Amino acid sequence: MSEKAVLKYLRPHMIKVPEIRVTSVFDDDLLAEFRESIKEMGIVEPLIVGMDKDEFYLIDGLHRLEEAKLNNMLVIPCVVIQATQKEILLKNLILNRMRGKIKASEMLKVVALLRKEYQMDTSEIAKTTGLGKQWIEELLKASTAEEEVKVALDDGKISVSHAAELARVQDRDVQLRLLAQTLQYNLRSRDLHDVVDNTLKLMEARKEEIREEPRPRRELVNIAK
């Protein structure tokens, strides 16, 4: 990634926001203070924007961009970096992770996209972002969990380790029942691991029983004219 940057003043509508990205989360009080400071002082800290094929893509500064649009600002200061889509995604993940709280569900999507679309293995993602390799592996597993599990993750009711364990169960109904049990009994992730193991064994045993059940014998009926 080229780190050579240029300060530009861009119109807010020129900056595209990638569909998959992470954004730092403000609590209500901090968000109110942030909005008030924008109204009084304008945007002091420039947004960080990646330029790819003459198009501008937001890397960091979604809250500032939204406030600029709400306040009908004509132009806003931006630090513009030449970057590919992959580099824009990586830079967004690194910067927002350093800022603090972000939605885990957004991180799941970003890491999964890096793995699937850009063919980055866990070691490469870990080296580039500074995230732990084991953490990334859990994120990739958790990315396949049901949406209700991801909501519980964002709400802080379960951890990424919990979500990764639950994602091992591919049956939606069973996965959600296990989620309910996890929340009800406040299961630790290592305890949930054992519960999931036992559940998968029971599910496999049930499949075997179904396969081995004898088919009903067809009775021969003599038909007389």
Side-chain angles (χ1 to χ4, degrees):
M1 183 187 300
S2 174
E3 291 298 331
K4 187 176 180 181
V6 178
L7 180 64
K8 291 179 178 286
Y9 285 83
L10 302 176
R11 299 185 183 212
H13 73 271
M14 295 173 63
I15 304 170
K16 297 182 178 181
V17 180
E19 183 177 348
I20 296 179
R21 66 188 308 279
V22 296
T23 303
S24 55
V25 179
F26 289 173
D27 59 38
D28 292 341
D29 291 339
L30 188 58
L31 184 58
E33 291 179 16
F34 169 79
R35 286 174 173 168
E36 192 61 32
S37 69
I38 294 291
K39 288 180 182 179
E40 291 182 2
M41 304 174 60
I43 295 177
V44 178
E45 182 181 359
L47 286 68
I48 299 179
V49 174
M51 185 176 179
D52 181 30
K53 298 177 182 177
D54 297 325
E55 298 282 355
F56 298 102
Y57 295 90
L58 183 70
I59 293 175
D60 181 59
L62 179 61
H63 296 298
R64 280 165 281 166
L65 178 60
E66 290 175 341
E67 289 303 309
K69 291 177 180 179
L70 286 173
N71 288 281
N72 298 314
M73 295 182 181
L74 295 178
V75 292
I76 49 179
C78 300
V79 173
V80 180
I81 301 170
Q82 290 285 344
T84 64
Q85 292 297 314
K86 175 182 173 182
E87 292 168 340
I88 289 168
L89 194 63
L90 283 167
K91 194 74 171 175
N92 164 253
L93 177 59
I94 294 167
L95 289 174
N96 281 281
R97 185 180 68 85
M98 291 171 62
R99 285 183 182 277
K101 187 178 179 181
I102 57 178
K103 284 188 176 181
S105 61
E106 292 180 346
M107 184 174 274
L108 299 182
K109 292 178 182 178
V110 169
V111 172
L113 185 63
L114 289 170
R115 180 71 185 90
K116 183 177 181 180
E117 183 72 19
Y118 299 107
Q119 302 298 307
M120 294 181 72
D121 59 29
T122 52
S123 297
E124 188 179 0
I125 297 172
K127 183 179 179 181
T128 307
T129 63
L131 295 169
K133 184 178 178 181
Q134 183 178 351
W135 173 253
I136 292 169
E137 289 173 350
E138 289 189 336
L139 285 172
L140 288 170
K141 292 175 184 175
S143 67
T144 64
E146 295 293 335
E147 206 57 40
E148 290 86 343
V149 174
K150 295 174 182 176
V151 170
L153 182 58
D154 281 342
D155 291 342
K157 295 178 179 178
I158 61 173
S159 67
V160 172
S161 296
H162 285 103
E165 291 295 341
L166 291 168
R168 293 167 57 202
V169 180
Q170 297 182 3
D171 184 288
R172 171 180 167 79
D173 291 337
V174 177
Q175 186 180 134
L176 295 185
R177 286 202 295 271
L178 289 176
L179 171 63
Q181 291 179 22
T182 301
L183 297 175
Q184 181 178 356
Y185 298 109
N186 196 24
L187 294 178
R188 296 174 299 180
S189 59
R190 63 171 175 264
D191 294 330
L192 179 58
H193 176 82
D194 295 335
V195 172
V196 170
D197 275 350
N198 291 331
T199 300
L200 292 174
K201 288 176 183 177
L202 289 171
M203 292 173 67
E204 185 59 33
R206 179 57 184 151
K207 288 180 182 178
E208 288 296 328
E209 288 177 3
I210 294 173
R211 282 195 289 264
E212 292 174 2
E213 284 180 359
R215 295 182 180 179
R217 295 177 61 184
R218 180 180 298 175
E219 293 186 8
L220 299 177
V221 179
N222 292 322
I223 300 176
K225 292 183 180 179

